Amino acid sequence: MKTASRILAVCAGLFALALAQPASAAEFSGAQRDEIGKIVREYLLANPEVLQEAMAELEKRSQAAEAEKHKAAVKQNAEAIFSSKRQVTLGNPKGDVTLVEFFDYNCGYCKRAMEDMMALLKDPNLKIVLKEFPVLGPGSVEAAQVAVAVRMQDPTGKKYLAFHQKLLGGRGQADKAHAMTAAKEVGLDMARLEKDMASTEVRETLQESFKLAEALGMNGTPSYVIGNDVVIGAVGLEALKEKVNNARCGKATC
């Protein structure tokens, strides 16, 4: 109580000084600054929970600012995020909510998150968009290049999904050889696949994904855009469902 009273007294004095003239650190004497510092230090030592509260509030404000930044980026890039001609669309193409996933075929978290996506596909009003985002080395780039060529050959997305599950769910390092094997197993035209892989469409598709990821502040996989929200990391099925519901009805459960 004594320390709190001293702080109140100092605050009252500072307030009075502020009313008298513009306050600045230079207007306090060295002794006054030392006394203020001493009082603040004593209070924080006696009440360390204040620091925790301050850090929590700082984190809360930081997250809110980041969320607003993400929403602005989503709005600015909405056409390329949700309706690009260079994307794979699954689920209901006219769904009331769109979930966009940026993934890498060598990402262990993406492998586990694939089960989440398959579960979400059961939502009859959800549109799911897949974007290759190969950030884990040359093998990932090769696998993504094959995946883009698969999409070019399969506009419905059915064979792409089968290819996607087989490659992402497979063992070992994903690269061109593994991706081509997966493509062959799901019945794609391999000669056309080789031809399409050499097209500018493949390069432009991956460039678009990287450009979007940079604009959205994504630095890893999996990352999602759900409605106006950007979600970084494999947050799990329930968290994804909550995001979908928030986009749909403004609540975690609709």
Side-chain angles (χ1 to χ4, degrees):
M1 291 297 293
K2 182 179 178 182
T3 303
S5 297
R6 292 174 68 188
I7 289 178
L8 288 174
V10 170
C11 289
L14 293 177
F15 183 68
L17 181 61
L19 291 176
Q21 57 182 329
S24 68
E27 291 171 338
F28 297 109
S29 68
Q32 286 175 321
R33 288 196 295 271
D34 289 344
E35 179 65 13
I36 292 170
K38 181 180 178 181
I39 293 171
V40 172
R41 182 176 183 277
E42 288 178 358
Y43 182 79
L44 292 177
L45 288 174
N47 302 273
E49 66 276 7
V50 172
L51 290 174
Q52 293 177 326
E53 293 173 6
M55 291 300 294
E57 179 62 23
L58 180 63
E59 179 65 18
K60 180 180 177 182
R61 294 185 185 185
S62 177
Q63 290 178 350
E66 192 69 11
E68 288 303 312
K69 182 179 177 182
H70 284 158
K71 287 180 180 179
V74 170
K75 183 177 180 180
Q76 185 176 357
N77 298 280
E79 181 67 23
I81 294 170
F82 301 114
S83 304
S84 173
K85 65 178 183 179
R86 297 187 171 102
Q87 67 188 29
V88 175
T89 300
L90 305 173
N92 185 348
K94 296 183 179 180
D96 60 354
V97 175
T98 300
L99 179 150
V100 182
E101 180 181 354
F102 290 72
F103 68 93
D104 184 306
Y105 279 112
N106 280 310
C107 167
Y109 293 106
C110 296
K111 291 178 183 292
R112 292 193 285 274
M114 181 173 65
E115 295 181 8
D116 300 336
M117 185 201 72
M118 296 305 296
L120 289 168
L121 274 174
K122 296 177 182 178
D123 183 333
N125 292 313
L126 182 64
K127 173 183 174 181
I128 295 180
V129 170
L130 297 180
K131 292 184 183 290
E132 297 87 359
F133 183 37
V135 293
L136 298 176
S140 295
V141 174
E142 292 175 0
Q145 289 170 338
V146 176
V148 175
V150 170
R151 184 264 299 167
M152 292 170 65
Q153 190 175 144
D154 176 47
T156 67
K158 292 181 180 180
K159 287 187 177 181
Y160 183 99
L161 180 57
F163 163 86
H164 181 77
Q165 290 178 277
K166 188 173 288 290
L167 184 57
L168 195 53
R171 294 184 177 183
Q173 183 82 0
D175 53 18
K176 181 179 178 180
H178 284 84
M180 294 296 278
T181 298
K184 185 176 182 179
E185 289 177 354
V186 300
L188 289 158
D189 182 334
M190 301 308 292
R192 179 180 171 185
L193 204 65
E194 287 281 7
K195 180 181 178 181
D196 286 342
M197 284 178 62
S199 69
T200 59
E201 177 69 12
V202 171
R203 182 178 68 255
E204 290 171 357
T205 296
L206 298 183
Q207 286 176 342
E208 180 178 275
S209 290
F210 274 94
K211 183 178 179 180
L212 286 174
E214 181 180 6
L216 295 167
M218 296 175 175
N219 54 12
T221 53
S223 291
Y224 305 88
V225 178
I226 306 172
N228 293 321
D229 291 337
V230 175
V231 180
I232 308 296
V235 295
L237 179 59
E238 292 308 311
L240 292 175
K241 283 183 175 179
E242 287 184 5
K243 289 290 185 180
V244 169
N245 286 335
N246 278 325
R248 179 170 286 151
C249 66
K251 297 183 295 183
T253 303
C254 294

